[in-house]
């Protein structure tokens, strides 16, 4: 009884005291991470910049009918030898040139309005850019508290859970992070979150967070690589979308069907094709009965080949945890399991307070 009373009194003080360290007035501020000795170091401003570029790349492809999930899947295809691209290297290289048209398209995509009809479940982000802000925020929290663990990516995911999904009273104006000690991950939280992952499709998000952070925490050069491939992927994607939209035959009402056919055929023939030309001819044959010109197909395929050749798996992982998460949110959660998770929160909050007090 005495220990519980002390815990209650100290916990009330902690709610006030911790606000100084994790202020709620600007929940998405990119703060400097105070890393421990031998702790992982990540420049979260550069991380967010890379995720924002990847988001624009994904939105460019969505504007011509491809889904973000399609592009994440296609950019996981194995990179081919240089000889595979013979005869198409100049066409692919031209996609990296920044033009006034591509910058106008980027501005248009940045200012795109979003409708989120499912905001009552698990606090989804209102825009893909907000998702990237969230990831940068919890990355900073992870660096502050868990920067010396070997599996930082797993803690980034746990902290995303504790701050947003496992926070039923969350609002952007008043996120309530301090009230529930969202920055503390206990063994009970880990068990609860691991169980939630096993019972829902959020494992897709969890796995890709871990994959991305496993790579970028390996060395400083890996974050540099992410920034580079994100920028390259954005330019390639904007140029491809701009070129498709300039074609006389482009029709937004049937673009999704065209994209579906091109993606399906490309995946079916990619492994066996020995050159881009052979791959294109196979796709032309598959789409012969469809009303899709060779120029339309070639433009899309050149863009996809440019992404595969000019980026790495980091691009795909980044797309999966940013735009794909935003697009696929409704399919990731089971409402009943989310409610069940929230029913255990009060007990786990008490456990977090005990951990802060007693260690």
């Amino acid at each position: 009884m005495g220990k519980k009373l002390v815990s209650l009194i100290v916990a009330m003080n902690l709610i006030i005291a911790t606000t100084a360290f994790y202020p709620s007035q600007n929940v998405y501020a990119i703060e400097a991470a105070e890393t421990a000795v031998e702790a992982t170091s990540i420049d979260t401003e550069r991380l967010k910049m890379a995720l924002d570029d990847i988001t624009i790349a994904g939105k460019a492809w969505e504007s011509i009918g491809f889904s973000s999930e399609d592009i994440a899947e296609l950019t996981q295809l194995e990179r081919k030898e240089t000889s595979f691209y013979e005869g198409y290297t100049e066409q692919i290289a031209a996609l990296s040139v920044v033009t006034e048209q591509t910058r106008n398209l980027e501005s248009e995509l940045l200012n795109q309005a979003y409708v989120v009809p499912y905001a009552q479940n698990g606090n989804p982000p209102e825009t893909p850019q907000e998702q990237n802000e969230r990831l940068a925020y919890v990355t900073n929290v992870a660096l502050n508290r868990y920067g010396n663990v070997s599996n930082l990516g797993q803690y980034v995911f746990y902290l995303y859970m504790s701050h947003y999904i496992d926070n039923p009273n969350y609002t952007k104006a008043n996120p309530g992070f301090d009230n529930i000690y969202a920055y503390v991950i206990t063994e009970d939280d880990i068990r609860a979150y691991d169980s939630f992952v096993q019972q829902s499709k959020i494992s897709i998000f969890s796995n890709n967070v871990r994959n991305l952070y496993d790579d970028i925490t390996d060395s400083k050069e890996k974050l540099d690589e992410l920034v580079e491939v994100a920028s390259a992927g954005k330019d390639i994607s904007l140029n491809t979308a701009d070129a498709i939209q300039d074609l006389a035959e482009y029709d937004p009402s049937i673009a999704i069907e065209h994209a579906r056919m091109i993606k399906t055929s490309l995946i079916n023939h990619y492994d066996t094709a020995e050159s881009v030309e052979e791959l294109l001819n196979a796709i032309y044959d598959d789409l012969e009965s469809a009303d899709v010109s060779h120029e339309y197909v070639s433009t899309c395929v050149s863009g996809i080949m440019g992404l595969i050749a000019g980026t790495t798996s980091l691009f795909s992982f980044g797309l999966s945890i940013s735009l794909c998460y935003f697009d696929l949110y409704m399919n990731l959660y089971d409402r009943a399991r989310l409610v069940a998770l929230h029913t255990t929160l009060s007990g786990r909050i008490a456990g977090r307070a005990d951990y802060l007090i007693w260690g």
Side-chain angles (χ1 to χ4, degrees), residues 79-90:
R79 278 68 184 161
K80 298 276 193 172
E81 297 293 333
T82 305
S83 58
F84 180 81
Y85 305 97
E86 187 175 347
Y88 289 86
T89 53
E90 290 186 9

Side-chain angles (χ1 to χ4, degrees), residues 52-73:
D52 283 344
D53 280 351
I54 290 171
T55 295
I56 290 297
K59 294 302 297 179
W61 286 99
E62 287 183 343
S63 74
I64 56 173
F66 291 84
S67 71
S68 58
E69 194 175 15
D70 288 339
I71 302 306
E73 181 182 356

Side-chain angles (χ1 to χ4, degrees), residues 47 64 134 225 236 242 247-248 292 311 317 355:
L47 171 64
I64 56 173
R134 289 181 173 191
E225 179 185 321
I236 291 166
D242 183 63
L247 295 178
V292 189
T311 68
F317 295 149
Y355 176 82

Side-chain angles (χ1 to χ4, degrees), residues 33-237:
E34 298 176 347
T35 53
V37 176
E38 297 183 358
T40 298
S41 177
I42 298 174
D43 183 336
T44 51
E45 289 189 9
R46 297 185 74 217
L47 171 64
K48 182 182 178 301
M49 178 180 70
L51 292 176
D52 283 344
D53 280 351
I54 290 171
T55 295
I56 290 297
K59 294 302 297 179
W61 286 99
E62 287 183 343
S63 74
I64 56 173
F66 291 84
S67 71
S68 58
E69 194 175 15
D70 288 339
I71 302 306
E73 181 182 356
L74 288 166
T75 51
Q76 280 291 316
L77 292 173
E78 183 180 355
R79 278 68 184 161
K80 298 276 193 172
E81 297 293 333
T82 305
S83 58
F84 180 81
Y85 305 97
E86 187 175 347
Y88 289 86
T89 53
E90 290 186 9
Q91 185 177 345
I92 292 171
L95 294 172
S96 297
V97 177
V98 178
T99 67
E100 183 179 352
Q101 289 90 335
T102 57
R103 286 294 169 255
N104 289 339
L105 178 56
E106 179 178 5
S107 178
E108 179 184 325
L109 295 172
L110 277 170
N111 294 315
Q112 190 175 56
Y114 296 91
V115 177
V116 184
Y118 46 87
Q120 72 277 12
N121 292 336
N123 306 312
E126 294 180 0
T127 67
Q129 287 76 19
E130 182 182 327
Q131 169 66 1
N132 300 339
E133 291 167 358
R134 289 181 173 191
L135 288 164
Y137 181 81
V138 295
T139 299
N140 264 323
V141 178
L143 290 169
N144 271 299
R145 295 195 62 88
Y146 305 103
N148 57 353
V149 299
S150 60
N151 57 336
L152 183 74
Q154 193 65 52
Y155 276 86
V156 170
F157 170 73
Y158 290 149
L159 288 163
Y160 190 98
M161 287 286 300
S162 67
H163 280 73
Y164 303 106
I165 297 168
D166 189 27
N167 186 358
N169 296 320
Y170 170 89
T171 65
K172 284 184 69 174
N174 184 23
F177 296 156
D178 303 317
N179 298 338
I180 63 172
Y181 315 115
Y183 50 88
V184 177
I185 301 297
T186 67
E187 291 183 5
D188 286 341
D189 290 317
I190 291 173
R191 280 192 289 269
Y193 296 157
D194 286 350
S195 176
F196 185 71
V197 167
Q198 291 169 7
Q199 297 173 11
S200 69
K201 294 181 180 178
I202 198 175
S203 59
I204 300 169
F205 176 58
S206 171
N207 290 339
N208 283 308
V209 168
R210 188 170 60 250
N211 288 336
L212 179 67
Y213 282 82
D214 282 352
D215 269 359
I216 64 174
T217 57
D218 187 44
S219 68
K220 178 183 177 298
E221 288 71 25
K222 283 291 186 178
L223 181 58
D224 294 338
E225 179 185 321
L226 174 64
V227 172
E228 289 173 8
V229 300
S231 179
K234 180 183 73 172
D235 293 336
I236 291 166
S237 303

